[in-house]
Amino acid sequence: MVKCSSCEIREAIYWRKESGEKLCSKCLEKSLIRQVKREISRWSMLEPKDTIGFLFLEKYPFVSISSYNILKKIERDYPSKLYLILPKTLSKVVREKNIVYVDNVENKNIVAYYRLLREKALEKAEKAGIEKIVLPTTLEFEITYFTYGFLKYDIEIMGETLPKLHVPQRNIYFVKPFRKVRTKELLIYGYFEGLFRIFEKKFKVKHNSGFSDNFFCEIEKYFWKISCDHFELLDSTLKMSEILVEKILREYGFTSSCRFCGTPIRDNVCSFHAIRFLA
C-alpha cells in the first residue's frame, strides 16, 4: 500500500505528477478546497453573505457534481445561501433542497451553448435573488476556450475567459472559482466520494456497460495523461490569457457587457445574441 504523502496515514489514490504528491481521497479534497478558496480570494469572487447559484452544466455532469460538492463544503462555513441551477432533464436525477430549474440547451456549438446557458441562468437567477452564479469551468476548459478564441481572433470569446463576468443591468456576476483546477482531479475525487452513483442508470443505458468497471477507461479516453511540463504550460497559458485579454479588451473598447450573457462587448449585445434576436 502506498501511503498518502500528506497525512501519511491513509492509502493514496492519486499521484499529482507536477508536484510528486501522492494523495488519499480526503487530502485530495482538502487540496481542491484550498485551490478554489485561493481563486475566490484572489479575484474577490464571493462574499460571506452572498446568495449564490451554481450552474450545473448538463454536458459535463461528472465535473459539475464534483465541483458542486466542493463548493457546498466551502459555503457551509459561511452564512451564504446556495442554490443549484439545474437543467430540467436532470430533475429526477439530482436531488437538492434549493434548486432553480432552467430550460434545456441543445446546441453542438460550444460558444452558442455556453452563452445560451448563461442567458437562461440569468433569467432564473434574477427571479430567485441570486447575486453570483458559479460556473464550474476547469483549467482545461478555460485554456481550450481561450485558444479557440485566439485562433479565430475573436475578442468576445477570449474575453469570456476572464475570472469574473459582470452583467450590470441585473447586477449579477458570473464567477469561475474552479478555473485553476484540473478536470481529472475533480473526476477522481467525485468517483471515490461516490458522487456519480446518481448517474449510474443513465450511464448504463447510453453505454450498455457497467459504470464502475468502465469509468477510468472513460477518464483516460477523454483526459490524457498530463506530464509536469504540460501542466506548467497550461497554467502559464491561463496566466498569459489574463494579461492579454485585459489589455486587448481595453485597447479595442470592449468595456461593456452583453445584457443577456455577460460576454465583454463594445455595444449592447454580443454577436451571438445579436443574430439570435434578429433571426
Side-chain angles (χ1 to χ4, degrees):
M1 181 183 79
V2 179
K3 285 189 176 182
C4 173
S5 57
S6 182
C7 67
E8 298 182 346
I9 299 172
R10 292 178 288 269
E11 183 179 1
I13 53 97
Y14 175 62
W15 175 32
R16 185 176 278 162
K17 291 184 180 180
E18 64 273 12
S19 63
E21 296 172 282
K22 295 177 178 66
L23 301 171
C24 64
S25 59
K26 292 299 178 186
C27 290
L28 176 59
E29 178 184 89
K30 289 178 183 178
S31 177
L32 291 171
I33 288 174
R34 280 196 302 270
Q35 289 180 58
V36 174
K37 280 186 171 181
R38 185 163 55 244
E39 202 66 11
I40 289 172
S41 176
R42 181 185 176 191
W43 300 101
S44 302
M45 292 181 178
L46 302 173
E47 298 295 332
K49 295 183 180 180
D50 278 339
T51 302
I52 304 163
F54 181 94
L55 182 55
F56 198 101
L57 304 182
E58 189 182 7
K59 282 182 179 287
Y60 313 102
F62 296 157
V63 171
S64 294
I65 198 68
S66 300
S67 304
Y68 180 62
N69 198 61
I70 290 290
L71 187 65
K72 278 201 302 183
K73 289 179 182 290
I74 292 172
E75 291 304 319
R76 68 186 178 188
D77 296 329
Y78 300 96
S80 57
K81 188 168 185 179
L82 180 61
Y83 286 90
L84 178 61
I85 304 175
L86 189 73
K88 289 179 181 178
T89 49
L90 296 174
S91 60
K92 294 182 180 179
V93 180
V94 181
R95 306 285 186 180
E96 284 292 326
K97 185 179 179 181
N98 298 320
I99 295 184
V100 173
Y101 291 107
V102 293
D103 293 331
N104 309 318
V105 175
E106 294 292 338
N107 202 308
K108 292 182 179 179
N109 181 295
I110 187 60
V111 175
Y113 171 80
Y114 194 33
R115 293 186 188 180
L116 194 54
L117 193 60
R118 296 205 308 269
E119 175 198 329
K120 293 182 180 298
L122 270 175
E123 292 171 359
K124 298 294 184 178
E126 190 173 29
K127 293 177 182 177
I130 294 170
E131 303 159 316
K132 308 279 178 67
I133 300 175
V134 171
L135 301 173
T137 53
T138 58
L139 177 64
E140 291 86 352
F141 181 95
E142 290 290 311
I143 291 300
T144 303
Y145 204 83
F146 171 78
T147 305
Y148 177 68
F150 184 80
L151 293 174
K152 289 173 67 70
Y153 201 72
D154 190 316
I155 298 176
E156 283 187 4
I157 294 175
M158 287 191 283
E160 286 178 274
T161 62
L162 287 172
K164 297 196 297 185
L165 300 174
H166 186 211
V167 184
Q169 294 88 344
R170 296 176 175 177
N171 197 26
I172 296 175
Y173 282 90
F174 288 102
V175 297
K176 306 173 185 177
F178 296 90
R179 61 195 295 273
K180 291 286 183 71
V181 177
R182 288 175 56 182
T183 305
K184 190 172 183 177
E185 293 190 359
L186 281 170
L187 291 174
I188 291 172
Y189 162 74
Y191 175 77
F192 281 98
E193 285 293 301
L195 301 177
F196 305 150
R197 290 173 188 154
I198 58 174
F199 300 111
E200 186 170 359
K201 186 176 180 181
K202 193 172 184 179
F203 190 94
K204 280 184 176 179
V205 169
K206 283 190 174 183
H207 295 267
N208 196 28
S209 60
F211 176 80
S212 301
D213 295 339
N214 291 277
F215 179 71
F216 279 102
C217 294
E218 293 297 317
I219 290 181
E220 291 304 327
K221 181 179 177 181
Y222 294 109
F223 304 100
W224 58 93
K225 295 178 180 179
I226 298 178
S227 66
C228 178
D229 292 338
H230 193 177
F231 176 78
E232 289 176 355
L233 177 62
L234 288 176
D235 195 43
S236 299
T237 305
L238 188 61
K239 290 176 182 175
M240 179 197 74
S241 73
E242 293 168 5
I243 299 169
L244 184 63
V245 167
E246 287 185 3
K247 185 177 180 180
I248 288 174
L249 292 178
R250 287 196 302 268
E251 187 174 336
Y252 286 87
F254 283 72
T255 54
S256 301
S257 298
C258 175
R259 66 176 183 269
F260 297 107
C261 64
T263 300
I265 53 168
R266 282 196 183 111
D267 303 311
N268 294 320
V269 295
C270 66
S271 55
F272 167 74
H273 280 102
I275 295 170
R276 171 170 154 76
F277 291 115
L278 283 173

